[in-house]
Amino acid sequence: MAQYETRHTDRTLSAGAMTFSGDDLEDFARGAAFLGAGGGGDPYIGRLRAEAAIAEFGQPKIIGVDALADDALVAMVAMLGAPTVLVEKGIAGEDIDLAATRLAERIGRPIDALIPAEIGGVNSTLPIVAAARLGLPLVNADGMGRAFPGIHMTVMNFEGVSATPFVVVDEHLNTCIIETDDAQKAEEFVRSVAVQMGMSCVCSGYAMTGAEVKRATVANTMTAALELGRAIVDGRRTGDPAQAIVDYLRSSPIYGEARSLFRGKIVDLQRETTRGFSIGSCTLAAFDDDTVRMDIKFQNEHLIATQGETVRAVAPDLISLVDAENAEPVPVEAMRYGQRVDVIAVLAPRALRTPAALDAVSPRCFGLDHDYTPLDALPASTNF
Amino acid sequence: MAQYETRHTDRTLSAGAMTFSGDDLEDFARGAAFLGAGGGGDPYIGRLRAEAAIAEFGQPKIIGVDALADDALVAMVAMLGAPTVLVEKGIAGEDIDLAATRLAERIGRPIDALIPAEIGGVNSTLPIVAAARLGLPLVNADGMGRAFPGIHMTVMNFEGVSATPFVVVDEHLNTCIIETDDAQKAEEFVRSVAVQMGMSCVCSGYAMTGAEVKRATVANTMTAALELGRAIVDGRRTGDPAQAIVDYLRSSPIYGEARSLFRGKIVDLQRETTRGFSIGSCTLAAFDDDTVRMDIKFQNEHLIATQGETVRAVAPDLISLVDAENAEPVPVEAMRYGQRVDVIAVLAPRALRTPAALDAVSPRCFGLDHDYTPLDALPASTNF
């Protein structure tokens, strides 16, 4: 798995340790929203939550994976449900405390540190809230190096770390603890409970050792989100923020390849909240030629971008939409008819492209009739 | 709540203690199938399971509620799902052991005795299996005095005993522990997990003290099932087993009123397995006059029997179908077109007719546009 060498600045410390100051949280949320590939909910909401938690409980310590003792107990915390619902329900207080507490109770030892499940939208900032509330350090890493719609779609699972016991808590503090040795089964149970919980709940699971974190997560993705968010702002000053995204991710040892795929306006949008997901598709048309089009399908996250029969990018590679003017990431639930956007694709972290990973996150796992072809093996194409 | 005075025979002991010998288990399963009001699965399957468990582990001690210490810890065990599926899936071994074990772990103390959730079909015999396997006594009582399709539809819930922690286990030993202070919410979570588990799983919950068992269950219903089963066999010898059912239940201090409602053949049957339930309706026609009809609706259990606009019986009162010749109870999943049956209704135990109970088990709780009218307040009617 790629280890990202932090570009040191006065605001980030060595070996993955981070502190937030100034506009960092805003930049971080922006970068995470891009890496969320359309999923993970509204970064603005997530940032406000994190700011409020930091104001009340103080800033949590963010540590690199190498700072973890090999026998430390680390637990994943996340929100779960359809982003369209997540943005409307105000959770992540006592519920997230209870999720981590129940997990620790079930395991029989206290949790030493928290880790994000995914880097993307609300699930990048929720762990900051949880770590602040619980007074625990947060590990600068995550389970996906992007966002995915299933709790089994993690490097932890691909590398043999058990997802369960997996605790789900709703805003009324109803709890459910799932135990199964099959992470995909856990996903099915958790999703059905999440639907009963109004498609929005918090959860904690993937209890693992520090040694497991080091071999079975994507390291330094919080740093990547922060630096990507800053790159977008810097790009606005130089006039091409979308290109700044591509440039930053191409130079990243986590990702290594990124491309602009399309620029145009949304001329068709089908989106429904069903089975605990935001599922649908959209069609873009070029500004200057309505016959030049791109189709994108999504399930919380964008899954595939095609032009006619030609695949331009497909999961597990990242596909993100950003505003055509300022490259602000556009999550799935914020997409709207007529919106002018750039489509940018990014090669998935190596840990998502192993045979074990592709068993869970290949295009066919999402019901698409395609095999995975890495972005750098597809013909490049933009309409601008 | 009615306390049933056991009619002593050479095979039943005083104060609710019971042992099974000779044809007892068959009689018990038959009586329980009737009291299951159509629900609870095939009594034959359940009896075979109980016989096998007794052969392997010995007969469990069956005790009256008064034999329980007030501070004893008693837990409910049951199968959950659609009866149509329950009869096809072979569960109730390590899964039921695990359900009780997980519950005890969560509560932090060992279980002293088990209790059936309901008296009806498989869920009357499964607790015998569980008690035999786990070497625990089984309490001669249950949570409903009949069967119902929801885990919140228990006297325990009506009397303020928490349903949770509630453990659900499937045949692959996947587990889910639900915790909520709202039993109806627990039902929703459990049902959605049960659907993921293929509509068939075992569960344990309603951990309660001996004192709670004494005030918040229906006592001596195992004895009632056994004696009812024997009454049917005795009635076959005297020529009117359906009348024997009515006579026995009329004299029972648990029920006190029973009626034959209709005799005829099934001329229409709609039944589907959906949302974790067997849901549907059937129409009966009199043997001698096809225009004389009765309609019955069910959701695992029979809910309402009507003739035109006239209600003849409605939940929580019991409605059961029995074979027109030998009065063998006919569970919902065994009903078939052309079958000749008697419809018998029974007044529900008093504990199901309190205001708190009717909040959960009135006809409107099952989506029926009727208020509850007790059987003894409805005009009597049979077509024979």
Side-chain angles (χ1 to χ4, degrees):
Chain A
M1 181 188 336
Q3 291 286 324
Y4 182 62
E5 287 292 312
T6 306
R7 296 191 217 166
H8 300 298
T9 75
D10 59 324
R11 289 179 291 184
T12 57
L13 305 178
S14 62
M18 289 174 71
T19 54
F20 290 112
S21 62
D23 295 331
D24 284 353
L25 210 49
E26 190 172 347
D27 290 338
F28 170 75
R30 178 182 298 113
F34 180 90
L35 295 174
D42 189 332
Y44 177 71
I45 304 268
R47 174 169 65 84
L48 292 186
R49 293 276 165 74
E51 285 174 354
I54 288 172
E56 186 174 356
F57 299 96
Q59 185 165 155
K61 194 170 167 187
I62 300 174
I63 61 174
V65 296
D66 292 334
L68 285 169
D70 278 352
D71 64 350
L73 180 66
V74 181
M76 177 280 303
V77 288
M79 275 177 148
L80 195 139
T84 43
V85 175
L86 288 180
V87 299
E88 287 172 13
K89 289 181 79 171
I91 53 177
E94 289 176 49
D95 46 3
I96 193 71
D97 304 348
L98 185 59
T101 305
R102 277 275 192 282
L103 182 66
E105 277 174 11
R106 178 62 193 140
I107 289 166
R109 57 173 285 200
I111 292 167
D112 299 311
L114 300 176
I115 187 169
E118 59 188 2
I119 198 82
V122 171
N123 271 336
S124 301
T125 46
L126 173 86
I128 298 172
V129 175
R133 293 184 63 92
L134 293 162
L136 290 174
L138 180 61
V139 182
N140 182 350
D142 80 295
M144 302 176 178
R146 51 165 293 166
F148 272 128
I151 64 164
H152 59 301
M153 297 172 172
T154 64
V155 180
M156 290 86 88
N157 179 38
F158 311 151
E159 299 294 327
V161 175
S162 175
T164 76
F166 197 95
V167 184
V168 190
V169 181
D170 72 10
E171 76 269 34
H172 306 295
L173 305 185
N174 299 317
T175 70
C176 182
I177 306 182
I178 312 280
E179 300 194 28
T180 168
D181 54 12
D182 178 342
Q184 183 158 0
K185 200 80 202 163
E187 160 65 23
E188 291 165 15
F189 292 144
V190 168
R191 191 68 48 178
S192 67
V193 169
V195 169
Q196 287 299 331
M197 287 178 169
M199 305 249 265
S200 155
C201 46
V202 295
C203 54
S204 188
Y206 280 111
M208 57 189 151
T209 64
E212 287 172 321
V213 170
K214 291 168 196 175
R215 72 170 174 79
T217 67
V218 186
N220 293 318
T221 47
M222 292 185 66
T223 302
L226 173 58
E227 294 183 343
L228 177 61
R230 287 181 192 159
I232 295 172
V233 174
D234 292 345
R236 288 172 190 167
R237 281 193 284 270
T238 58
D240 196 345
Q243 187 59 42
I245 291 173
V246 171
D247 291 344
Y248 175 80
L249 292 169
R250 277 190 181 155
S251 73
S252 158
I254 301 176
Y255 303 98
E257 171 63 355
R259 288 179 188 171
S260 288
L261 296 184
F262 199 83
R263 175 170 288 177
K265 59 177 188 272
I266 297 176
V267 294
D268 190 58
L269 177 62
Q270 309 289 335
R271 179 178 50 200
E272 63 175 329
T273 301
T274 185
R275 296 185 292 118
F277 299 108
S278 286
I279 292 178
S281 62
C282 71
T283 301
L284 309 177
F287 296 141
D288 53 358
D289 182 350
D290 188 63
T291 65
V292 177
R293 294 194 164 204
M294 173 165 279
D295 296 305
I296 296 175
K297 291 184 179 170
F298 51 84
Q299 177 184 344
N300 286 11
E301 286 75 36
H302 297 299
L303 298 175
I304 189 167
T306 52
Q307 289 190 285
E309 297 299 302
T310 307
V311 174
R312 295 302 182 191
V314 66
D317 289 345
L318 292 68
I319 301 166
S320 272
L321 269 57
V322 300
D323 182 277
E325 299 305 314
N326 63 15
E328 194 70 19
V330 179
V332 159
E333 79 271 20
M335 290 163 61
R336 59 179 202 281
Y337 182 82
Q339 201 166 17
R340 299 160 70 92
V341 295
D342 276 9
V343 183
I344 299 173
V346 186
L347 187 66
R350 217 167 304 154
L352 300 184
R353 296 183 274 126
T354 66
L358 290 173
D359 279 349
V361 297
S362 78
R364 297 192 191 278
C365 300
F366 300 99
L368 301 175
D369 190 22
H370 292 277
D371 292 313
Y372 172 58
T373 307
L375 183 65
D376 51 7
L378 289 169
S381 161
T382 72
N383 64 328
F384 59 95
Chain B
M1 179 191 337
Q3 291 287 320
Y4 181 63
E5 287 293 312
T6 306
R7 296 190 216 166
H8 301 299
T9 75
D10 59 324
R11 289 179 292 186
T12 58
L13 306 177
S14 63
M18 288 174 72
T19 54
F20 290 112
S21 62
D23 295 332
D24 283 355
L25 210 47
E26 190 172 347
D27 290 339
F28 170 75
R30 178 183 297 111
F34 181 90
L35 296 174
D42 190 332
Y44 176 71
I45 304 268
R47 173 167 65 83
L48 292 187
R49 293 277 164 73
E51 285 173 355
I54 287 173
E56 185 174 357
F57 300 97
Q59 185 164 153
K61 194 170 168 186
I62 301 174
I63 61 174
V65 296
D66 292 335
L68 284 169
D70 279 352
D71 64 350
L73 179 66
V74 182
M76 178 280 301
V77 287
M79 274 176 149
L80 195 139
T84 43
V85 175
L86 287 181
V87 300
E88 288 171 14
K89 288 181 79 171
I91 52 177
E94 288 176 49
D95 47 1
I96 193 71
D97 305 347
L98 185 59
T101 305
R102 277 275 193 281
L103 183 66
E105 276 175 11
R106 178 63 193 140
I107 289 165
R109 56 172 284 201
I111 292 167
D112 298 311
L114 299 176
I115 188 170
E118 59 188 2
I119 198 83
V122 171
N123 271 336
S124 301
T125 46
L126 173 86
I128 298 173
V129 175
R133 293 184 62 92
L134 293 163
L136 291 174
L138 181 61
V139 183
N140 183 347
D142 80 292
M144 301 176 178
R146 53 164 292 166
F148 272 127
I151 64 165
H152 60 300
M153 297 173 171
T154 65
V155 180
M156 291 87 87
N157 180 36
F158 310 151
E159 299 294 328
V161 175
S162 175
T164 75
F166 197 94
V167 183
V168 191
V169 182
D170 72 10
E171 76 269 32
H172 306 296
L173 305 183
N174 299 317
T175 71
C176 180
I177 306 182
I178 311 279
E179 301 196 28
T180 166
D181 55 12
D182 177 343
Q184 184 158 357
K185 201 81 202 162
E187 160 66 21
E188 291 164 15
F189 292 145
V190 168
R191 190 67 49 179
S192 66
V193 170
V195 169
Q196 288 299 332
M197 288 178 169
M199 307 249 265
S200 156
C201 47
V202 295
C203 55
S204 188
Y206 281 113
M208 56 189 151
T209 65
E212 287 173 321
V213 171
K214 291 168 197 177
R215 73 170 173 78
T217 66
V218 186
N220 291 319
T221 47
M222 291 185 69
T223 301
L226 173 59
E227 294 183 343
L228 177 61
R230 287 181 190 159
I232 294 171
V233 174
D234 292 344
R236 289 174 190 168
R237 281 192 284 270
T238 59
D240 197 344
Q243 188 59 41
I245 291 173
V246 170
D247 291 345
Y248 175 80
L249 292 168
R250 275 191 181 153
S251 73
S252 159
I254 301 175
Y255 303 99
E257 171 65 353
R259 286 178 189 173
S260 287
L261 295 185
F262 199 83
R263 175 169 290 176
K265 58 177 190 276
I266 297 176
V267 295
D268 191 58
L269 176 61
Q270 309 288 337
R271 180 178 50 201
E272 65 174 328
T273 302
T274 182
R275 294 185 292 120
F277 299 108
S278 284
I279 292 178
S281 62
C282 71
T283 302
L284 309 176
F287 297 140
D288 53 357
D289 183 350
D290 187 65
T291 66
V292 178
R293 295 195 163 204
M294 173 165 279
D295 296 303
I296 296 175
K297 290 183 180 172
F298 51 84
Q299 178 184 342
N300 286 12
E301 285 75 38
H302 298 300
L303 298 174
I304 189 166
T306 52
Q307 291 189 286
E309 296 299 301
T310 308
V311 174
R312 295 301 180 191
V314 67
D317 289 345
L318 291 68
I319 301 166
S320 272
L321 270 56
V322 301
D323 182 276
E325 300 304 316
N326 63 13
E328 194 67 21
V330 178
V332 159
E333 78 272 21
M335 291 164 62
R336 60 181 201 279
Y337 182 81
Q339 200 166 21
R340 298 160 70 92
V341 295
D342 276 10
V343 182
I344 300 174
V346 186
L347 188 66
R350 215 168 305 153
L352 300 185
R353 296 184 275 124
T354 66
L358 290 174
D359 279 349
V361 296
S362 78
R364 294 190 193 281
C365 299
F366 300 99
L368 302 173
D369 190 23
H370 294 277
D371 291 315
Y372 172 60
T373 307
L375 184 65
D376 51 8
L378 289 169
S381 161
T382 73
N383 63 327
F384 59 94

